[in-house]
Amino acid sequence: MANIKKVTFLKADWFVGLLVALVFLFSANSDLMQSLERKAYDIGVRASSRVPSEKIAVIAIDDESIANLGRWPWPREIQAMLLDILASGQAKVVGHTALFSEPQVDSGLEYINKIGTLVASSSLKQSSPAEWEQLNVILLEAMSHLDNDMKLAESMAKSNAVLLGMLFELGEPQGKPDHPLPDYVLKNALTNVGDGTAGASPILTNGTQVPIPILGSLALAIGHLNVTPDVDGGIRTEPLVLSYFDQYYPSLSLMLAAKSLNLEPKDIQVSLGQGVKIGNLNIATDAMSRMYTYFYNDRDGKPAFQVDSFYDVLTGKIPAEKYRDKIVLIGATAAGVGALQVTPISAGMPPVLTLAHSVSSILKQDFFVVPGWAFWAGKAIFLLIALYLILLLPRISAGIGAAITGSLFVVLLVSHFVLMTTQALWLELMLPTSLLLVGHLLLTTKRFLVTEQGKIKSDADSAESNRMLGLAFQGQNQLDMAFDKFRKVPVDDSLMDVLYNLGLDFERKRQFNKAESVFKYMSDYNPKFRDLEQRLNQAKAMSETVMLGGTSGKSNASTMVLDKAGVSKPMLGRYEIEKELGKGAMGVVYLGKDPKIGRVVAIKTMNLSQEFEADELEDVKARFFREAETAGRLNHPNIVTMYDAGEEHDLAYIAMEFLKGKDLVPYTKRDNLLPLPKVLSIVARVADALGYAHGLHVVHRDIKPANIMYDIESDTVKVTDFGIARITDSSKTKTGMVLGTPSYMSPEQLAGTKIEGQSDLFSLGVSLYQMVCGKLPFEGDSMAQLMFRIANEPHADILSVSPNVPPCVVAIINKALAKKMDGRYQTGQEMAEAIRQCAATLQ
């Protein structure tokens, strides 16, 4: 009897309602629910309509400007010219989103400075004062002409209206700062900060990246450019204030608004957790001093903010008078320059336009507000919906329940959008709305299955529900579960279309045995359907083929069958695979295409499950994506651009820039060596790329001719495979192979000690040696002998192989191949400079 009561209790409708309510309550802060809340927020933003501030103008560093002025970053003299134009047009303030955190030194200026030092220390002043004075004047003119930072500083001084950006490193400080901030940054600190909501605090930071002194000291003001993405990666808020140790600093948007009103940082009042006041403007913020930015929709087919081309303003096509008394924002919109931001109205908005929306939100008071009572109102509504599901819905008929649920659903949605569009208030109502829909669906489905349907002993899954579930599983790429559901639906002509698409999906996933099962199931109903007979025969023939595999096993294991008529192109992630380009040590390289944007890519694959033991596979996967993320941040003309990384069926892949040409291996053969000037030019550019990567604390670990791509027609050099060598750090593959080629390894790499940038430069020195004379500097009869010679013996004198090698090339090779790291070039830039100086003497 007790067991019967227990079962009855578990089947009670009110218990199911209570259980659903508890599940939703505990999932309120989950990524899924928070993402749903923000999607509803975005719809509310797009549904509202307001007019942006007419005071804001945007000047874009766009594709047209880069096509006419050259690759970004431009010489700062060009920025100075634009500031002079805006100053002549009497712009109110100018906000520049570029980070001027490093000096821009013209290579010629370094030589002028050296000549100046030499002249100053010479006896020319005493022996020939007139000539010394004339030479000194020429040197000063040359310095002034080549000093781009000074030109920009002079233009900023003339304008006295330029605001610059800086970045903070987010994170809680653990002690005191390493260095005090410069005075030109300190003067922007907010001093009028008062307590507001208990426990409220701006976002904490522990580091800064500020403009260089010559520019920062002449800026009218400086504000931060940090953004705080939401859980789904979208930008919806603007952190108006950040906390740096015991100081508070404003955002660039806040400073632009203040300066446009002729106000200083001391005039900005901050009430923590409540709002910010500048002049007569009151901006409501959340507990972290973030403003919910209003994003303005396009109106009448025109963008919210008119965006002018930098080049058009510079050349006078757009008159400077247009910007009189305007807040001018300068920033990049060109493809590949900066990272686009996801906002409620755009999937890819340039940061300068996000800044424009933020400034307008401040000046027009067009931000959204989360009222203080929103939290308790949301909880109360959630409780009412839960009580409805637990107490009322189980006691009323299905028709009345559907009417009440529908009414409540409409009320919640209408309330959400009315509050956002008319009152600019945001209440998180998606949690109770989702609870209402899911709870009603579960309870009515349970009632139908257990009570009404139980009277007639029929199948628990109706044909329509199985069809819908199957389509849902198919949409989520759970093809096996989709097929299971479709087999519970009576076959008819409409289902045949669905099954045919499912078979094609299995083909794209290279699961030809499962595609064969689907086509067999279809042929039992109608073997003449479309090209079903041909599809079935192809699936049978290819069911044993391994698609996109590693290099282990059969020699043809990685070959793709793409030339068969009617075979769907296989997919890897979101990429269509076009053909095989080649095979490497651990995988195959394919030519792929992103069908959504038409981008052609090279896809390097690594079958991790075949190459690594099971106990280290998860660690290797984590390291793979970590290294891929690091390499993906590299942005250099001589480094292959990485677009994407992913995993499918234990097959890790990296999608990268598709390059013409081939690697340098063919040019290391004695009968096919490139001319020495060309070799020096190639190696210098590789050294530049390594120097850039080392500056970002990224070490390649496997520099060799095979990882350097060269297009002889366009004279383009690209370094590939950044981060790949580190994937198996301290690990061995199943085949016993450690990544990295021993012939090119540095002594410290063979010794297993800490690897730094000088290790890559040693490997580059080995590659230079081989490309000059066609032989390796270290050779051995066995792997052990080779590794011993690299670690302990000097390299073979290149003159013994090729006596005509110039002395400066010999010196570069000898220094690059020094056994100890401190004896080599310390940076890639240093090695590149030495090579170019050598090449200049050869000319």
Side-chain angles (χ1 to χ4, degrees):
M1 183 67 71
N3 289 336
I4 294 175
K5 289 183 178 180
K6 183 177 181 181
V7 172
T8 304
F9 170 78
L10 294 176
K11 289 184 177 181
D13 287 350
W14 69 266
F15 180 76
V16 174
L18 176 62
L19 190 62
V20 173
L22 290 175
V23 169
F24 271 81
L25 180 63
F26 287 114
S27 65
N29 294 319
S30 65
D31 289 352
L32 176 63
M33 190 54 63
Q34 289 300 311
S35 296
L36 183 61
E37 293 283 5
R38 279 148 183 79
K39 293 304 178 188
Y41 174 93
D42 293 348
I43 296 173
V45 173
R46 292 192 291 268
S48 58
S49 178
R50 299 188 184 185
V51 180
S53 172
E54 296 180 352
K55 295 182 178 179
I56 299 171
V58 178
I59 298 178
I61 301 168
D62 57 1
D63 291 320
E64 177 193 355
S65 302
I66 290 177
N68 286 281
L69 299 176
R71 181 167 36 186
W72 178 263
W74 300 323
R76 290 176 183 169
E77 178 183 11
I78 296 177
Q79 306 285 351
M81 295 166 60
L82 182 71
L83 293 184
D84 292 340
I85 293 172
L86 294 176
S88 68
Q90 299 183 20
K92 182 68 175 180
V93 290
V94 179
H96 209 309
T97 61
L99 292 175
F100 299 109
S101 56
E102 294 181 357
Q104 190 179 74
V105 180
D106 189 287
S107 58
L109 183 59
E110 296 182 5
Y111 292 103
I112 293 297
N113 288 331
K114 291 178 181 179
I115 295 172
T117 303
L118 182 62
V119 170
S121 61
S122 71
S123 58
L124 185 63
K125 183 175 183 180
Q126 290 75 23
S127 61
S128 181
E131 291 182 5
W132 183 89
E133 183 64 30
Q134 184 179 8
L135 182 58
N136 196 44
V137 169
I138 293 173
L139 287 173
L140 289 175
E141 289 179 355
M143 290 179 185
S144 174
H145 179 72
L146 294 173
D147 195 339
N148 279 296
D149 287 342
M150 181 61 71
K151 291 179 181 179
L152 181 55
E154 290 173 353
S155 296
M156 288 177 61
K158 292 177 187 176
S159 172
N160 193 32
V162 180
L163 286 80
L164 298 181
M166 63 177 177
L167 284 178
F168 284 92
E169 296 176 13
L170 305 184
E172 183 176 357
Q174 301 300 315
K176 295 183 178 180
D178 294 334
H179 306 286
L181 293 178
D183 290 340
Y184 58 84
V185 175
L186 290 172
K187 72 178 184 180
N188 296 278
L190 303 178
T191 56
N192 197 352
V193 179
D195 294 334
T197 305
S201 171
I203 298 171
L204 302 177
T205 66
N206 55 27
T208 58
Q209 186 177 349
V210 301
I212 58 176
I214 191 174
L215 301 179
S217 59
L218 293 173
L220 181 64
I222 298 176
H224 76 78
L225 287 168
N226 291 76
V227 294
T228 53
D230 280 332
V231 65
D232 59 353
I235 304 298
R236 298 175 180 86
T237 59
E238 172 83 352
L240 297 181
V241 182
L242 293 180
S243 173
Y244 178 74
F245 293 88
D246 58 347
Q247 299 167 346
Y248 299 93
Y249 286 92
S251 66
L252 182 59
S253 59
L254 186 59
M255 287 306 297
L256 283 165
K259 287 297 183 180
S260 71
L261 299 173
N262 305 310
L263 299 175
E264 300 296 328
K266 65 181 180 181
D267 300 320
I268 300 175
Q269 303 176 38
V270 179
S271 180
L272 297 179
Q274 294 182 356
V276 176
K277 182 177 181 180
I278 52 173
N280 292 324
L281 302 178
N282 290 290
I283 306 105
T285 64
D286 65 6
M288 302 175 76
S289 296
R290 297 179 300 186
M291 171 187 71
Y292 283 89
T293 305
Y294 184 90
F295 288 90
Y296 300 87
N297 291 295
D298 297 345
R299 297 173 63 87
D300 302 326
K302 297 180 180 179
F305 298 97
Q306 181 64 42
V307 179
D308 297 329
S309 172
F310 189 106
Y311 183 73
D312 289 345
V313 180
L314 192 66
T315 55
K317 183 177 180 180
I318 298 176
E321 181 66 23
K322 176 180 178 179
Y323 306 105
R324 179 181 294 273
D325 296 327
K326 293 290 184 70
I327 301 172
V328 182
L329 307 180
I330 304 173
T333 63
V337 181
L340 300 179
Q341 298 172 342
V342 178
T343 65
I345 63 171
S346 172
M349 178 177 289
V352 67
L353 286 179
T354 306
L355 178 63
H357 287 278
S358 297
V359 175
S360 180
S361 294
I362 295 172
L363 294 176
K364 297 275 292 183
Q365 301 279 272
D366 282 341
F367 43 82
F368 289 96
V369 177
V370 179
W373 45 265
F375 175 81
W376 297 112
K379 295 302 180 187
I381 295 172
F382 180 88
L383 179 60
L384 288 175
I385 297 299
L387 291 175
Y388 164 70
L389 295 175
I390 297 169
L391 301 179
L392 182 58
L393 186 58
R395 291 174 170 78
I396 57 180
S397 65
I400 296 176
I404 295 176
T405 297
S407 300
L408 290 174
F409 177 74
V410 171
V411 168
L412 289 173
L413 286 185
V414 169
S415 299
H416 171 81
F417 292 113
V418 168
L419 287 173
M420 287 199 71
T421 56
T422 63
Q423 304 299 317
L425 295 178
W426 180 38
L427 270 66
E428 297 188 17
L429 297 179
M430 291 305 102
L431 179 66
T433 303
S434 301
L435 171 64
L436 176 65
L437 290 179
V438 174
H440 180 90
L441 178 63
L442 288 176
L443 285 171
T444 53
T445 302
K446 172 186 172 297
R447 180 182 298 177
F448 173 77
L449 294 177
V450 175
T451 307
E452 299 176 20
Q453 196 71 353
K455 295 178 183 177
I456 53 171
K457 212 75 171 153
S458 65
D459 194 348
D461 296 315
S462 68
E464 189 59 25
S465 65
N466 278 308
R467 179 194 291 265
M468 296 305 294
L469 284 172
L471 291 171
F473 285 133
Q474 186 178 1
Q476 298 170 7
N477 280 326
Q478 299 181 42
L479 304 184
D480 292 322
M481 297 179 70
F483 191 30
D484 288 339
K485 292 299 178 183
F486 290 147
R487 280 184 291 193
K488 296 179 181 179
V489 180
V491 181
D492 56 19
D493 291 340
S494 65
L495 185 65
M496 288 288 283
D497 289 324
V498 174
L499 290 170
Y500 185 85
N501 291 329
L502 180 64
L504 295 183
D505 284 345
F506 275 123
E507 280 189 358
R508 295 186 185 97
K509 293 293 183 181
R510 305 167 308 279
Q511 298 173 351
F512 293 101
N513 56 333
K514 296 180 179 178
E516 180 185 359
S517 298
V518 174
F519 294 141
K520 279 184 178 178
Y521 183 76
M522 295 173 62
S523 66
D524 292 339
Y525 176 76
N526 181 9
K528 301 299 182 182
F529 181 81
R530 296 190 190 176
D531 58 346
L532 181 60
E533 185 175 356
Q534 180 185 354
R535 290 279 178 189
L536 181 57
N537 292 332
Q538 287 178 347
K540 287 179 180 178
M542 300 176 66
S543 60
E544 299 299 321
T545 302
V546 178
M547 299 296 291
L548 292 172
T551 57
S552 304
K554 301 177 183 178
S555 61
N556 67 343
S558 61
T559 302
M560 293 190 304
V561 182
L562 292 174
D563 55 354
K564 294 267 188 182
V567 176
S568 301
K569 289 184 178 180
M571 302 288 290
L572 191 56
R574 69 172 187 265
Y575 300 99
E576 289 181 354
I577 303 303
E578 303 287 345
K579 66 178 181 179
E580 178 180 310
L581 297 177
K583 298 178 184 178
M586 289 186 62
V588 185
V589 181
Y590 298 104
L591 178 67
K593 182 179 180 181
D594 187 337
K596 291 186 178 179
I597 60 177
R599 173 188 284 159
V600 177
V601 297
I603 303 176
K604 176 163 288 191
T605 64
M606 297 178 69
N607 198 325
L608 301 179
S609 62
Q610 290 187 17
E611 298 293 345
F612 296 93
E613 301 296 340
D615 57 349
E616 62 181 349
L617 187 58
E618 289 303 317
D619 180 64
V620 170
K621 286 181 182 179
R623 194 180 304 132
F624 174 86
F625 289 109
R626 195 162 58 243
E627 290 299 319
E629 178 185 0
T630 301
R633 293 200 297 267
L634 299 179
N635 182 15
H636 191 275
N638 298 120
I639 296 177
V640 172
T641 303
M642 290 179 54
Y643 299 125
D644 193 14
E647 178 192 12
E648 187 169 313
H649 303 301
D650 282 336
L651 185 71
Y653 66 89
I654 296 175
M656 61 186 70
E657 176 184 3
F658 175 70
L659 303 175
K660 296 182 180 179
K662 55 187 175 182
D663 61 47
L664 292 177
V665 172
Y667 304 119
T668 62
K669 312 303 179 184
R670 296 208 67 168
D671 57 351
N672 192 39
L673 298 179
L674 293 169
L676 183 58
K678 184 66 68 178
V679 171
L680 295 178
S681 171
I682 292 171
V683 176
R685 281 177 278 174
V686 175
D688 279 335
L690 292 176
Y692 164 80
H694 297 161
L696 296 177
H697 308 292
V698 179
V699 181
H700 190 287
R701 296 171 175 261
D702 194 19
I703 289 295
K704 57 184 178 182
N707 284 336
I708 302 171
M709 299 294 293
Y710 179 61
D711 184 9
I712 198 167
E713 293 183 2
S714 63
D715 192 33
T716 302
V717 180
K718 297 274 188 175
V719 182
T720 66
D721 281 5
F722 262 95
I724 299 301
R726 194 170 180 177
I727 294 170
T728 55
D729 190 17
S730 303
S731 301
K732 282 192 174 182
T733 64
K734 287 182 179 179
T735 58
M737 180 196 70
V738 178
L739 287 190
T741 307
S743 296
Y744 300 89
M745 283 186 176
S746 64
E748 62 269 21
Q749 200 169 359
L750 293 174
T753 58
K754 182 179 180 182
I755 303 301
E756 296 183 354
Q758 292 90 338
S759 178
D760 283 347
L761 301 183
F762 181 99
S763 302
L764 184 58
V766 176
S767 303
L768 173 60
Y769 184 110
Q770 189 179 21
M771 292 177 67
V772 169
C773 70
K775 288 192 67 177
L776 288 166
F778 301 98
E779 294 180 338
D781 296 330
S782 66
M783 183 76 72
Q785 187 183 55
L786 172 63
M787 296 171 70
F788 177 85
R789 288 179 175 173
I790 293 174
N792 300 283
E793 296 181 2
H795 60 277
D797 186 356
I798 194 170
L799 295 177
S800 66
V801 182
S802 183
N804 297 324
V805 177
C808 63
V809 177
V810 176
I812 291 169
I813 290 174
N814 290 342
K815 186 169 183 178
L817 298 182
K819 297 296 181 189
K820 295 184 178 180
M821 288 192 294
D822 55 5
R824 303 174 201 151
Y825 294 103
Q826 297 303 297
T827 66
Q829 290 85 353
E830 181 186 352
M831 185 172 178
E833 181 63 24
I835 293 172
R836 291 190 175 104
Q837 289 181 5
C838 174
T841 62
L842 298 182
Q843 293 176 357

